[in-house]
Amino acid sequence: RRVLGRCALRSPSQAQQVVKVVYQAVIPVGLRALTPAYEQSSGNNLEFTFGNPQQTIGRLRDGMPADVVIYGNAIASDLAKENRIDAATRAKIASVKLGMAIPASATKPDMSNGAAITVILRAARKIAVTDPKGGGTTTFVFDAFEKLGLTQELTPKLVLIDGTGEDVAEAVAAGKADIGFSAMSELAAIKGVQAIGPLPPDVSSLLVVIHAVVTAHPANRAAGQEFTSFLQSPGTNSLFASFAFVLE
């Protein structure tokens, strides 16, 4: 998926630059919301390409031009080992935890501990998660099921979604699943569901730490560094907090 933002306010004397950003799917809602403010303040355009972790690093390996990459835990070591980033420019943006999507009309259940989560899981007929082949948060969802001793019981109920956490929430909103699990920030982006959580610590302690970094060979290094700095500004932090991100 690609989103090309356009700057609404720009003086004729400003040199327009396109900052190409490749990013992991835990953060799209925040980036969509902050794009107008960045473009108006900088005079630059943002061009986004997003997907699950394996899609993100696969695009970089295939030579997709990018000035900035935004990523979580899953591909952090690969990006560094393969020298695809300028580690000196790395900036921590926020973190996100696992949560659950339920229909907007549903009564919010008790999620206080593992016993309460077990009741929810056993009551659900269909449970949506992203396909683990994509390398996203589903591995950690499965770890939570294992921790509760429910893996075998829940496997027939799983609805594997070829996409992102937003697609998981869409499946719940459309009635294709009773509940869904993914990063809180992705679930919160979709109308028609309630994003509730995070999962209690006796079920999952996962914290996906999100960084932005300039790539090893950017076309627009200065603009890329300017954008990563913008992502750490107080106004941006407040916006991320409103979409279920954790700020530290």
Side-chain angles (χ1 to χ4, degrees):
R1 300 182 186 182
R2 293 196 183 193
V3 178
L4 180 61
R6 295 299 181 193
C7 180
L9 300 175
R10 183 183 293 111
S11 71
S13 61
Q14 285 181 299
Q16 173 185 329
Q17 296 187 73
V18 176
V19 183
K20 296 185 177 182
V21 182
V22 178
Y23 66 100
Q24 191 177 324
V26 291
I27 201 170
V29 60
L31 292 181
R32 287 195 293 264
L34 64 80
T35 293
Y38 171 76
E39 291 188 332
Q40 290 177 15
S41 66
S42 69
N44 296 328
N45 289 340
L46 292 172
E47 182 179 313
F48 296 124
T49 303
F50 79 96
N52 63 42
Q54 291 308 310
Q55 289 171 332
T56 298
I57 196 165
R59 286 165 176 152
L60 294 173
R61 287 169 175 162
D62 289 342
M64 173 177 281
D67 302 303
V68 174
V69 58
I70 301 176
Y71 60 95
N73 309 13
I75 59 174
S77 61
D78 286 341
L79 288 171
K81 285 189 295 186
E82 296 176 17
N83 297 316
R84 299 189 183 281
I85 57 175
D86 179 356
T89 66
R90 184 172 59 189
K92 182 179 177 181
I93 302 172
S95 303
V96 66
K97 295 184 177 183
L98 285 178
M100 182 172 69
I102 61 174
S105 59
T107 301
K108 185 176 179 180
D110 176 18
M111 292 182 62
S112 59
N113 54 45
I117 298 298
T118 296
V119 170
I120 295 169
L121 291 169
R122 283 182 165 156
R125 294 167 300 174
K126 293 184 178 181
I127 302 170
V129 295
T130 57
D131 191 322
K133 293 178 182 177
T137 56
T138 297
T139 298
F140 302 99
V141 175
F142 287 174
D143 288 344
F145 294 168
E146 181 68 27
K147 193 172 186 179
L148 293 169
L150 297 174
T151 298
Q152 186 173 356
E153 182 178 341
L154 298 180
T155 298
K157 299 183 178 186
L158 295 179
V159 179
L160 299 183
I161 303 297
D162 183 15
T164 69
E166 290 190 4
D167 298 304
V168 167
E170 292 277 13
V172 174
K176 297 177 181 178
D178 302 304
I179 58 176
F181 292 90
S182 191
M184 288 282 293
S185 57
E186 295 181 90
L187 303 177
I190 302 302
K191 294 180 179 179
V193 301
Q194 300 177 61
I196 56 177
L199 296 183
D202 63 333
V203 175
S204 176
S205 59
L206 174 68
L207 186 70
V208 179
V209 181
I210 304 163
H211 290 90
V213 65
V214 176
T215 58
H217 304 289
N220 294 306
R221 177 175 294 276
Q225 290 179 310
E226 178 187 49
F227 180 57
T228 59
S229 296
F230 175 83
L231 291 174
Q232 294 182 296
S233 65
T236 299
N237 287 343
S238 298
L239 185 147
F240 281 142
S242 72
F243 287 110
F245 289 93
V246 178
L247 303 177
E248 299 175 345

